[in-house]
Amino acid sequence: MHSPKHRIIFHIDMNCFFVSCEIAENPDLAGKKVAVGPNRMDRKGIITAASYEARACGVRAAMPVSEALRKCPDLILVESSMSLYSEYSRRFFEYFLKITPLVEPASIDEGYLDITDVCEPSNAIMLAEKIQKDLLQQLHLPCSIGIAPNKFLAKMASDFQKPDRVHTLFPDEIQEKMWPLPIRNLLFLGKASEQKLLNQGIRTIGDLARERASNVQYWLGEKTGHQLWQYARGIDDSPVKAVPDEAKGFSVETTFNDDITSIEQVFPILLEQCDVLATRMRRKDKKCNCISVTFRTLDFRNRSHQTKLENATDLTDEIYINATRLFKEFWKGQPLRLIGVALTGLTDGTYEQMSLFEDTENKERRRKLDAAMDEIRMKFGNDKITRASIMNSNARIGRKAKAQMKNENTEEQ
């Protein structure tokens, strides 16, 4: 086994992934101001992704549609299609596995590759450029690649300049390439921690790296301070975890560059995650007995909450309703950098325990709806149907959650 300092790690980040998938399906969108999100008439909806042309007009992910259209009246809005994006994700991760078995997905559009045993250090850039060329030719997807001896530095390198770039960040390059950057550019540094560091005169990543670790821990807390101080010095020993051969469940996580702070941002994300997971599960003819929701706060801590179901389910709306309930129960409004859903306790979909008090007729209608949507997705590659019952429930839950959060905040004060 190679020591961490001798590893060669790629971080591959698909550029503007959701928009790139839509352009791959419809090349006429290339070079235009495009955003992925809800229907154009849904002014209360939130932008999921924006092309670089749209970003130049001020359009950003997590921005309300109404604000995006004010900034960019000629914005082309494309309805999001998680099934389409998941299919492209599956295909490029399959490609990665042809290069090395050590592949770790970080989200639907990014992953780490440990290529230590398959490539000489002198050929690393050449291999990265080949990967870029292959993904562009085969899938029409651009990507940025960071090359480094650990995962943290590789991800920092992939963020240096986009799109479609390759950057290295080896130990002898840290002082020149990373340390002059503003402290806000340090990955995983939240806004609150950034302000505390600025208050102490820490302006750049180099300032943080040169500071005494004990001082940083005093300012930011023992765990968070030590972790960020190590990152500033390029230290990260976490291995690339290979994709398991057989999944014991279905899960999806979404990592955000900007903090998620409102319940209105959370529910559309959960809805898309539950929808894609339920679709995958039904394709495997499975049902789940357990649903869990995870989020990551700015102190790098993951918090999870789960519930066990009386009866196994593969229905999208049942999974979504449970996920939103779980989220409301344990989220206290902290800024978030990651949200995820997992379905476990899988059973054979051919077996189902029925309850005497269950509304079987309504359940059968929902099952037919899911089946119809699955068929459309399989045929056309994306979903063009809005679940009215879930969207209505989403709005209702959101209003209640805001009132509940307001009451909780008042009581805490």
Side-chain angles (χ1 to χ4, degrees), residues 289-316:
N289 277 306
C290 185
I291 300 170
S292 64
V293 172
T294 299
F295 64 67
R296 180 178 300 156
T297 50
L298 303 188
D299 59 1
F300 304 103
R301 292 182 60 187
N302 279 9
R303 293 168 172 84
S304 297
H305 202 43
Q306 70 178 32
T307 185
K308 291 189 175 181
L309 308 177
E310 290 187 13
N311 298 308
T313 186
D314 62 359
L315 297 177
T316 295

Side-chain angles (χ1 to χ4, degrees), residues 133-394:
K133 182 178 178 181
D134 287 350
L135 291 176
L136 202 56
Q137 288 183 345
Q138 298 173 22
L139 300 179
H140 307 290
L141 298 179
C143 70
S144 295
I145 301 178
I147 306 172
N150 63 51
K151 290 162 64 176
F152 174 80
L153 290 177
K155 184 168 174 61
M156 281 292 299
S158 70
D159 280 347
F160 278 161
Q161 190 177 17
K162 296 180 179 181
D164 203 26
R165 299 297 181 95
V166 174
H167 290 282
T168 61
L169 187 53
F170 290 102
D172 59 352
E173 299 176 305
I174 291 175
Q175 188 169 344
E176 177 187 353
K177 291 185 176 182
M178 189 171 79
W179 281 8
L181 297 175
I183 190 63
R184 75 174 71 91
N185 287 29
L186 185 69
L187 289 172
F188 312 121
L189 178 70
K191 292 181 179 179
S193 294
E194 177 192 349
Q195 189 57 53
K196 289 178 182 179
L197 292 175
L198 290 173
N199 292 341
Q200 299 298 327
I202 304 296
R203 299 284 185 265
T204 67
I205 296 177
D207 291 341
L208 179 59
R210 288 184 287 264
E211 185 58 66
R212 293 178 60 180
S214 58
N215 288 342
V216 181
Q217 290 176 294
Y218 178 75
W219 299 329
L220 304 182
E222 185 175 352
K223 182 178 180 180
T224 300
H226 181 66
Q227 182 70 82
L228 290 172
W229 181 81
Q230 283 196 311
Y231 283 160
R233 298 172 70 88
I235 301 170
D236 176 26
D237 294 334
S238 58
V240 173
K241 300 176 182 178
V243 177
D245 292 333
E246 184 176 356
K248 296 181 179 179
F250 298 86
S251 66
V252 62
E253 293 180 342
T254 306
T255 304
F256 310 96
N257 291 327
D258 299 319
D259 299 345
I260 297 296
T261 57
S262 72
I263 206 74
E264 289 84 1
Q265 292 171 289
V266 170
F267 285 125
I269 295 165
L270 286 178
L271 177 57
E272 288 185 330
Q273 290 179 333
C274 292
D275 200 12
V276 69
L277 289 179
T279 301
R280 291 178 188 168
M281 190 167 59
R282 288 191 294 268
R283 287 177 181 172
K284 298 291 185 179
D285 197 22
K286 299 290 184 180
K287 295 184 179 182
C288 67
N289 277 306
C290 185
I291 300 170
S292 64
V293 172
T294 299
F295 64 67
R296 180 178 300 156
T297 50
L298 303 188
D299 59 1
F300 304 103
R301 292 182 60 187
N302 279 9
R303 293 168 172 84
S304 297
H305 202 43
Q306 70 178 32
T307 185
K308 291 189 175 181
L309 308 177
E310 290 187 13
N311 298 308
T313 186
D314 62 359
L315 297 177
T316 295
D317 61 347
E318 282 189 11
I319 295 168
Y320 170 66
I321 289 169
N322 276 283
T324 53
R325 177 178 61 81
L326 286 169
F327 196 91
K328 288 193 299 174
E329 286 177 359
F330 78 118
W331 185 51
K332 302 302 181 184
Q334 314 98 307
L336 305 179
R337 285 297 176 88
L338 176 147
I339 296 174
V341 177
L343 310 180
T344 55
L346 302 183
T347 64
D348 190 334
T350 59
Y351 172 78
E352 181 175 5
Q353 180 179 348
M354 300 299 293
S355 168
L356 292 175
F357 304 101
E358 191 169 18
D359 186 351
T360 55
E361 183 177 346
N362 181 47
K363 191 168 187 176
E364 186 59 30
R365 283 200 300 270
R366 288 179 288 159
R367 180 170 285 116
K368 288 181 179 179
L369 171 63
D370 283 341
M373 293 186 70
D374 291 348
E375 185 176 352
I376 292 173
R377 287 168 173 162
M378 290 292 290
K379 185 175 181 180
F380 297 105
N382 55 10
D383 48 343
K384 298 298 182 182
I385 300 175
T386 300
R387 297 173 181 272
S389 61
I390 290 182
M391 296 309 294
N392 291 336
S393 173
N394 187 31

Side-chain angles (χ1 to χ4, degrees), residues 91-103 113 118 127 134 138:
R91 291 167 66 184
F92 69 68
F93 275 114
E94 281 186 353
Y95 169 83
F96 295 160
L97 287 169
K98 295 177 182 178
I99 298 170
T100 173
L102 295 177
V103 176
L113 281 65
V118 299
L127 175 58
D134 287 350
Q138 298 173 22

